[in-house]
Amino acid sequence: MKVLVTRQLPGKWLDYLSSYVSVELWDKEYPPPRDWIIEHVKDKDGILVTLTERVDKEVIDSAPRLKVISTYSVGYDHIDVQYAKKRGIIVTYTPEVLTDATADLIFGLIIAVARRIVEGDKLIREGKWNTSWHPMFMLGTEVHGKVLGILGMGRIGMAVAKRAKGFDMKVIYNSRRPHNVEWQFVDLDTLFRESDYLVIAVDLNPSTYHLVNEDKLRLMKRSSFLINASRGAVVDEKALVKALKEGWIRGAALDVFEREPIGADNELVKLDNVVLTPHLGSATWETREKMAEVAVKNMLFALRGERPIYEVP
Ligand code: GLV
């Protein structure tokens, strides 16, 4: 069996994969060009991709032997799952193992933007801390005791809600349907109106594309913050820039963007009330190794005709 792998992975798991199948690896840091994928997937039984590779009809059709697409991610919006399934190809992903790392980062973003941690760090590095201590210097917003709104109460949403307990926050949420959980289900507009911190934890699909648009942002409190570590395109970024510039909300913390990577010329970079991180949700050594294990085992199990650990529903 032959497998195409589009990026080096941490730990021993690629070696493990190579001991069972023949692996062709794109070993650069940047993503492989699309033409390279199309050319090299031709004779493969499996392809192990990351979220930067678009696996659409064209890629799938260029691989007549393809049986498995294993993505090293929880999101699968970069894959045409419906078409793959129609072709009888199994699509697998890596949920659960990255839930806690992502929830940790989301909480970090909440605190960073509310307490102006990045702004403070920048001020010191630029040699601009010249007021010493002052009662009104760099005041931020409290986190404990506030209302945490969660859009999408899946695994990551629940892990964020769990962490909020330690901060005595009131948790409200909206998702496709109410869950039997201890937190309060509210309708979408109420979620936007009442949240002090609104965390986006939905996946990207046609129904969530630009779900956070100008109308929704206008519902939010002027003192509130938007936090996104799911997919950039859930938010209409142009509308968000307007909201941040015009003070409809107090700030935002973003780990994901409509087009990644963003450069220093992006409008968001010019704003002080935003904390930006480069898609780091699952980026810990521990989690990325676990993801490698799951992505590789998914691939091997599915190639053998056994049930993978996580098949995309
Ligand atoms: C990261 O964004 C992932 O989908 O795993």
Side-chain angles (χ1 to χ4, degrees):
M1 295 266 194
K2 291 182 181 173
V3 173
L4 189 65
V5 179
T6 62
R7 220 64 56 79
Q8 189 59 257
L9 305 178
K12 63 178 183 189
W13 294 101
L14 274 191
D15 289 341
Y16 183 83
L17 181 65
S18 303
S19 66
Y20 290 96
V21 296
S22 149
V23 170
E24 187 174 1
L25 173 69
W26 174 265
D27 63 359
K28 315 269 191 302
E29 282 191 5
Y30 53 89
R34 203 175 149 71
D35 291 351
W36 185 88
I37 296 176
I38 288 173
E39 182 56 32
H40 290 257
V41 79
K42 273 188 179 139
D43 60 340
K44 301 297 186 293
D45 303 280
I47 180 169
L48 195 156
V49 295
T50 74
L51 54 88
T52 59
E53 286 78 65
R54 198 153 47 83
V55 185
D56 55 13
K57 191 168 179 294
E58 191 189 1
V59 170
I60 294 169
D61 278 344
S62 62
R65 294 165 49 129
L66 198 62
K67 297 170 193 66
V68 186
I69 301 166
S70 167
T71 184
Y72 182 76
S73 61
V74 63
Y76 45 82
D77 49 284
H78 52 299
I79 301 171
D80 189 339
V81 175
Q82 242 182 338
Y83 185 68
K85 285 190 176 179
K86 216 163 81 187
R87 278 256 332 255
I89 295 166
I90 295 171
V91 185
T92 68
Y93 67 145
T94 64
E96 284 187 12
V97 289
L98 50 63
T99 300
D100 283 315
T102 308
D104 287 351
L105 182 87
I106 290 171
F107 239 89
L109 289 174
I110 292 173
I111 298 170
V113 71
R115 300 302 304 271
R116 305 176 65 178
I117 291 175
V118 181
E119 260 184 278
D121 178 273
K122 187 165 160 250
L123 180 110
I124 292 177
R125 287 175 198 274
E126 290 176 351
K128 292 182 183 160
W129 188 19
N130 35 34
T131 55
S132 188
W133 194 92
H134 185 285
M136 278 155 59
F137 176 58
M138 282 206 75
L139 303 190
T141 308
E142 300 204 330
V143 174
H144 65 271
K146 294 292 176 81
V147 177
L148 177 69
I150 300 182
L151 179 59
M153 197 50 114
R155 297 179 184 92
I156 293 172
M158 284 193 206
V160 173
K162 240 166 70 182
R163 283 156 178 73
K165 251 190 200 169
F167 284 77
D168 294 324
M169 300 179 91
K170 175 184 173 186
V171 176
I172 58 177
Y173 75 98
N174 179 270
S175 56
R176 269 180 297 231
R177 59 196 112 69
H179 297 286
N180 189 16
V181 290
E182 60 195 278
W183 305 292
Q184 188 190 344
F185 180 85
V186 294
D187 64 57
L188 205 52
D189 283 1
T190 305
L191 186 79
F192 280 86
R193 273 199 199 98
E194 293 189 359
S195 298
D196 295 310
Y197 297 91
L198 180 60
V199 170
I200 298 170
V202 286
D203 60 342
L204 176 64
N205 62 54
S207 74
T208 59
Y209 176 79
H210 280 194
L211 178 60
V212 183
N213 56 16
E214 180 162 339
D215 289 350
K216 290 284 180 285
L217 289 164
R218 282 191 187 278
L219 294 176
M220 292 178 71
K221 300 181 200 178
R222 293 179 78 84
S223 57
S224 68
F225 296 88
L226 183 75
I227 294 91
N228 189 9
S230 86
R231 283 292 180 272
V234 175
V235 179
D236 177 349
E237 220 164 82
K238 276 208 181 81
L240 178 62
V241 167
K242 201 164 148 198
L244 289 163
K245 275 188 181 162
E246 296 180 5
W248 312 349
I249 63 175
R250 186 167 290 162
L254 306 171
D255 186 47
V256 290
F257 306 89
E258 286 206 64
R259 283 239 173 101
E260 297 177 4
I262 62 166
D265 56 339
N266 188 292
E267 283 295 304
L268 289 163
V269 177
K270 298 170 194 153
L271 303 171
D272 283 335
N273 51 346
V274 191
V275 169
L276 305 167
T277 49
H279 207 142
L280 298 179
S282 63
T284 66
W285 285 104
E286 298 91 333
T287 288
R288 288 283 167 88
E289 279 204 38
K290 282 186 230 150
M291 288 167 67
E293 177 179 0
V294 172
V296 163
K297 287 185 175 171
N298 277 340
M299 172 64 76
L300 289 173
F301 292 169
L303 282 177
R304 279 186 209 138
E306 292 167 22
R307 188 196 288 262
I309 308 174
Y310 298 107
E311 183 171 356
V312 169

